[in-house]
Amino acid sequence: MAYNREESFVLSFWNYGNLKEHGRTEIARWKDLGMNVVMMPYANSEAELEAELPKFMDELQKNNMKIILRFPEVEDGYYHRHGEEAYRKAFKARYEKYGKHPAVLGFYPGEEPGPDRVDAFVGVLKVMMEEAPELNPFLEPGDTRKVPGLGDKIAGAGVHVHGVGTYSQMEPEERGIEEYFQHMHTTTSVCRKYGLDCWATLLSSAHFRFQAPEEVDYIWQINTAAALGCTGIFWFRLYDKLMAMDYRGSPIDEYGQPNGKYYRGMKRAQTRFTIHHAKLLMKLHIKESFFITKRYGGFPAFPDAGYAGIKRAYCNTDFFGCYDYDPIPGIVSVFDGDDGYEYVAVVNNNRKDAGNITLEFDETVKNVHYVYYNGAQLNGCTTNGYSNKNDAYCIREEIWLAPGQMEILRIEKK
């Protein structure tokens, strides 16, 4: 069956609550935060599941939201213990009863398989894609660098969407950022190799040495993931609990209340992203990502020879002739659009300092426009062009970016 992306970039979260407390009654709050997909909460009994889950899915459908279904007997542990035949029977039973509801996006197959569980994990994915090819399993395979060939095996199961999970970006040291981009590079490379989309599990809850994200951290996580080709984010996690070790700083606190700046930060970041980019990105297909000023994770620097009509990409460190400042690191990613145009996403890869990234286009480029409101508004470039060696006029755009900010521009060729 042909793969159809969702209409909008998937924004979701790991839901560790129960159907009574974290089901229908929470939909309005999830929408307020900008979510469009939810992970199924747990049921305390089969009777509660039968009574609550259909009503819950009906309400999600009314609110234009979808769900990832979770049942212990459709996870890789069940397959590992009982084998393919028993697993397929169990999966088909859940799929027939609940999986055909229009609000269902996919099933949860388990997560982070160790070397002894890879065959079961991949077996689960194959069964899911054979029995329910219209759905997309939610994948969080863990650190695929530690399990050689896992990414290729997952792709071989016939899935349309891969997954990556990383929290190191919220460690206080620079090494955490490098680790984050290593994870991203490993998985997105597999995705490009096989033509897969990617959903990322990113951090919204402080624990261990991972810091609690504030608004700029949400902006940066969303924009870096999107610029690297991801088409969805699942936040870990949404709710704090009264008994949860050192977990803290989640958007909803342990008393069930919006958690101040953490709630506002997620809401503002996701709302802004949804207004301008969430639907647009589902019509774009990543070609290549480059880093400027400072490389991370094995991603390449922007090539001296240029790329896709972009001659140069750099940070201009001259502040209007008044003084020089340190160049900001950036990401420059090029996409093919369904409309036949190429697009470039430019991200300030710094969460503290604003700055600019300048793009110089070559003589093959006719026009460049900023894209807002998911393509409904196009703004022309505002800065001066330049003359190339043949004295032909070319476009130069100096893009000022707040910390973590992303701009997307449409490139029109001559």
Side-chain angles (χ1 to χ4, degrees):
M1 178 175 289
Y3 167 55
N4 293 312
R5 283 178 167 178
E6 294 302 295
E7 180 184 6
S8 187
F9 192 99
V10 171
L11 294 170
S12 187
F13 61 97
W14 289 72
N15 192 348
Y16 295 98
N18 60 69
L19 271 169
K20 287 285 189 181
E21 296 178 4
H22 299 96
R24 285 183 288 160
T25 58
E26 289 290 275
I27 289 175
R29 179 144 62 179
W30 298 333
K31 290 192 69 175
D32 184 58
L33 281 167
M35 304 298 183
N36 52 32
V37 173
V38 304
M39 192 175 286
M40 174 182 155
Y42 295 104
N44 294 316
S45 66
E46 190 67 24
E48 180 181 279
L49 186 70
E50 292 179 355
E52 289 294 323
L53 184 55
K55 297 175 185 177
F56 182 38
M57 293 193 293
D58 288 345
E59 286 299 313
L60 290 173
Q61 184 183 9
K62 291 177 185 177
N63 284 274
N64 199 30
M65 300 178 75
K66 291 194 173 182
I67 187 171
I68 299 292
L69 295 177
R70 303 176 70 182
F71 306 100
E73 67 272 30
V74 304
E75 297 178 18
D76 61 329
Y78 191 90
Y79 188 110
H80 183 71
R81 292 189 300 272
H82 300 287
E84 180 183 338
E85 184 177 352
Y87 175 84
R88 188 181 295 272
K89 181 179 179 180
F91 177 79
K92 288 175 71 173
R94 290 301 193 189
Y95 171 62
E96 291 294 331
K97 191 166 187 176
Y98 300 112
K100 295 184 178 182
H101 192 285
V104 175
L105 179 58
F107 284 82
Y108 169 77
E111 63 186 276
E112 301 186 8
D116 63 326
R117 294 280 278 273
V118 169
D119 289 343
F121 189 75
V122 173
V124 163
L125 298 178
K126 288 181 177 179
V127 171
M128 287 184 172
M129 296 310 298
E130 289 166 2
E131 300 295 339
E134 77 282 10
L135 302 181
N136 292 299
F138 164 67
L139 286 171
E140 206 291 75
D143 189 351
T144 56
R145 299 172 303 171
K146 296 180 179 178
V147 186
L150 178 57
D152 296 290
K153 291 178 180 178
I154 288 172
V159 298
H160 302 296
V161 183
H162 201 342
V164 59
T166 171
Y167 309 147
S168 61
Q169 65 274 15
M170 290 310 303
E171 291 181 32
E173 296 87 13
E174 178 81 358
R175 63 155 300 281
I177 299 175
E178 171 64 23
E179 183 84 0
Y180 168 72
F181 285 114
Q182 286 182 15
H183 282 288
M184 285 292 191
H185 187 256
T186 298
T187 303
T188 56
S189 295
V190 171
C191 291
R192 293 180 200 183
K193 178 180 178 181
Y194 293 102
L196 306 178
D197 277 349
C198 183
W199 293 340
T201 290
L202 303 180
L203 192 67
S204 57
S205 185
H207 61 290
F208 305 148
R209 298 191 68 252
F210 306 128
Q211 308 297 295
E214 299 186 19
E215 182 178 353
V216 68
D217 301 302
Y218 283 113
I219 292 170
W220 179 87
Q221 288 187 90
I222 293 168
N223 289 340
T224 55
L228 296 177
C230 291
T231 55
I233 291 172
F234 287 71
W235 296 107
F236 179 83
R237 54 191 185 148
L238 200 60
Y239 298 88
D240 279 332
K241 297 181 179 181
L242 283 168
M243 294 186 293
M245 297 291 285
D246 66 335
Y247 282 81
R248 62 202 183 279
S250 300
I252 300 173
D253 68 20
E254 60 269 41
Y255 310 107
Q257 299 299 314
N259 197 2
K261 63 182 180 181
Y262 304 116
Y263 185 99
R264 292 194 304 273
M266 173 181 276
K267 175 180 177 177
R268 285 172 55 82
Q270 294 201 144
T271 300
R272 185 184 302 109
F273 177 76
T274 298
I275 288 171
H276 284 308
H277 297 140
K279 290 184 177 180
L280 170 67
L281 283 161
M282 304 308 275
K283 300 175 184 177
L284 307 184
H285 307 274
I286 188 75
K287 291 178 66 176
E288 189 59 83
S289 297
F290 304 104
F291 280 52
I292 66 168
T293 305
K294 183 171 183 176
R295 292 174 56 202
Y296 289 96
F299 284 96
F302 191 84
D304 292 338
Y307 187 85
I310 304 170
K311 181 180 178 181
R312 296 178 64 204
Y314 57 93
C315 177
N316 185 353
T317 58
D318 174 59
F319 188 67
F320 301 107
C322 298
Y323 58 85
D324 291 339
Y325 63 95
D326 291 335
I328 58 169
I331 302 172
V332 177
S333 290
V334 179
F335 297 77
D336 281 328
D338 289 344
D339 57 4
Y341 292 102
E342 287 181 309
Y343 289 75
V344 56
V346 183
V347 178
N348 178 356
N349 197 23
N350 186 311
R351 281 178 271 182
K352 295 182 179 179
D353 298 324
N356 80 78
I357 293 173
T358 298
L359 300 183
E360 293 183 3
F361 297 89
D362 65 28
E363 60 194 37
T364 67
V365 175
K366 179 181 179 181
N367 285 308
V368 179
H369 291 89
Y370 291 89
V371 185
Y372 298 114
Y373 298 101
N374 291 297
Q377 180 173 322
L378 300 177
N379 288 3
C381 289
T382 57
T383 56
N384 295 324
Y386 69 99
S387 295
N388 67 9
K389 62 182 180 181
N390 298 318
D391 203 32
Y393 178 82
C394 297
I395 297 169
R396 177 195 285 129
E397 182 64 4
E398 188 175 282
I399 306 163
W400 277 93
L401 299 161
Q405 183 180 347
M406 175 172 68
E407 292 286 349
I408 297 179
L409 295 84
R410 192 187 76 178
I411 303 171
E412 181 183 350
K413 297 292 184 68
K414 293 177 180 176

